[in-house]
Amino acid sequence: MKLSVKNIRNFTDTNYNMLNKILLAAGIIQCCFCNIQAQSAGARPVYTSEWGHLYRENGKNKDVLGIFSTEAPVYLLDSTQTQYKVQVSNGDIGFIDRQPLQKSMRGKKSAGEPLQYFYRGKEGYQCPHFYVQGSELRVRKGPTTESTATRKAALNELICIDYVPLYQDGWVYIGDHFHEDPEYIQMKYLGTELTYDQILKDYLAAKGKNKEKELTQVGRLREIAWLEDKNLKQALRYWKESYSGIENPKVDIDFELLLADQLAKKPQTEIYEKKLKGLNMHFTWKETQLFDGKITETQVKQLEMQKVKDIPNTPECGWEPQYFYRTPDIIVAFEEYKGKVSGSIYKMSFNNEGAVILGNERMDSHYNEKDFVTRFGDLLSTRWIASPHEYYIQNGDAGVFIFTFKEGKLFSYECMFYC
């Protein structure tokens, strides 16, 4: 029997066993009648053609668990004459009213899809989405607070959603489509897009009146100021005022104020480029000096680097090296120009053998983050809220040097060109 959307729609109660065998063979499900908590990595779903409700029980006693969007991915578990038993993206299992199920997504929405659950942007054609409203919100590997935190979602981060749980403290799935890198957050931390002025108004309304709300709002204020790269000093000063006498080990506010001061000193382009050139940036590896554009194959062979054909995940951005040399801690990328073959440091993880030299500063695995900000802050831009901290130094019109610090010490270097 050929598996098709039409065949799935026409199954009745007598076809349960046949349905299960077909779906198992197709790899859509792994078992039937089990309470699966999450989809298997790489499993392929089918897609709803209309928005609707997920019910806890089958039949007429419809206790609503949640609501799903048009073209929500579902994993078909069972079928009755009027409903399908499915698992939705966050792991909830329940029943949906029968409808055509599709084998692919077409980016459409069905009539009457409720805007309060599935906002598709001003134009109306984006993925259904909301925005993160919690400051430093932990994203977890599973739909429980005990699951491992994989990262922190940024305030105002756009989150595409296909299923909204309607019960208290429900989780939504925000990871990759086929659950190979699962991520979950709670729906209660999502809402409309925030603005600095809106948060500032809420903060000033709570300041000195409700300490809990004051700290919540000033946390949001600090984070959105870092993300928008404006009003930064004001937000940080408010944070310091509100947390006066309160210990917060997660935030070194004096360091952040120092960084904000340094970032505000960034010079004009010509002066910036002249200053960077004067620092004569280069690298040392096993006491050998390596200058970008001047590294030779003789040097890397003497340093016992291994030649490899390519490096996974290198961006195709115009500058595409022909080949690479590497060790576990350094990658040198080579290209040929007008008959001359030369290399540049592509990536470096710092240990006792490697360092980058900027002016009079020798920066290795022991180099302090505050010293870096104090010395080079006027050349930097940063996504400070991200962890670990990444700092960027502009490399001409199309490139950037990336310095990553973990726990206050230099961890890695990478060069990148814009696509």
Side-chain angles (χ1 to χ4, degrees), residues 134-332:
S135 179
E136 299 189 14
L137 179 63
R138 288 182 176 85
V139 177
R140 299 193 180 273
K141 202 170 185 177
T144 67
T145 54
E146 290 74 31
S147 295
T148 303
T150 59
R151 65 181 179 91
K152 291 181 181 178
L155 192 72
N156 262 356
E157 181 178 332
L158 186 150
I159 301 293
C160 292
I161 57 175
D162 53 65
Y163 169 75
V164 175
L166 298 180
Y167 48 89
Q168 187 175 3
D169 295 335
W171 294 79
V172 293
Y173 179 77
I174 65 168
D176 68 294
H177 191 66
F178 296 121
H179 288 252
E180 292 174 326
D181 293 302
E183 290 187 336
Y184 299 81
I185 58 177
Q186 287 181 296
M187 184 66 201
K188 64 184 179 182
Y189 296 116
L190 297 179
T192 57
E193 189 172 13
L194 299 170
T195 66
Y196 183 89
D197 290 342
Q198 175 189 344
I199 298 172
L200 178 60
K201 182 180 179 180
D202 293 340
Y203 165 70
L204 293 175
K207 189 177 182 183
K209 301 171 185 176
N210 185 318
K211 198 63 177 180
E212 183 179 356
K213 288 184 178 180
E214 177 183 346
L215 295 181
T216 297
Q217 295 301 337
V218 83
R220 289 177 173 177
L221 199 67
R222 166 183 165 269
E223 186 167 347
I224 201 169
W226 274 116
L227 294 171
E228 294 183 350
D229 196 24
K230 60 182 180 180
N231 302 307
L232 185 55
K233 291 184 180 181
Q234 180 191 59
L236 296 180
R237 284 196 297 267
Y238 277 137
W239 195 98
K240 188 170 184 177
E241 288 176 13
S242 292
Y243 272 91
S244 178
I246 301 174
E247 185 178 356
N248 188 327
K250 297 180 180 179
V251 176
D252 184 343
I253 195 63
D254 291 327
F255 183 24
E256 293 191 23
L257 284 165
L258 167 66
L259 176 56
D261 284 336
Q262 291 292 83
L263 295 177
K265 297 176 182 177
K266 185 171 292 185
Q268 297 294 321
T269 301
E270 290 185 5
I271 300 174
Y272 183 102
E273 292 177 348
K274 183 177 180 180
K275 182 173 181 179
L276 178 60
K277 185 177 181 180
L279 293 175
N280 192 29
M281 187 173 81
H282 62 281
F283 306 84
T284 62
W285 188 260
K286 295 183 178 179
E287 302 306 320
T288 298
Q289 290 189 336
L290 302 172
F291 288 82
D292 273 358
K294 300 179 182 180
I295 303 171
T296 66
E297 287 190 278
T298 300
Q299 280 184 308
V300 295
K301 288 177 180 178
Q302 290 173 343
L303 293 170
E304 299 179 339
M305 295 185 190
Q306 180 183 3
K307 187 175 183 178
V308 292
K309 184 178 180 180
D310 55 38
I311 301 294
N313 302 319
T314 54
E316 296 182 7
C317 301
W319 178 67
E320 189 65 15
Q322 283 79 36
Y323 49 88
F324 302 85
Y325 281 84
R326 72 177 304 169
T327 74
D329 296 307
I330 189 171
I331 298 173
V332 181

Side-chain angles (χ1 to χ4, degrees), residues 78-96:
D78 209 340
S79 174
T80 73
Q81 290 183 338
T82 59
Q83 292 181 305
Y84 293 124
K85 184 178 183 181
V86 300
Q87 182 183 12
V88 294
S89 60
N90 78 334
D92 283 353
I93 293 176
F95 293 82
I96 68 172

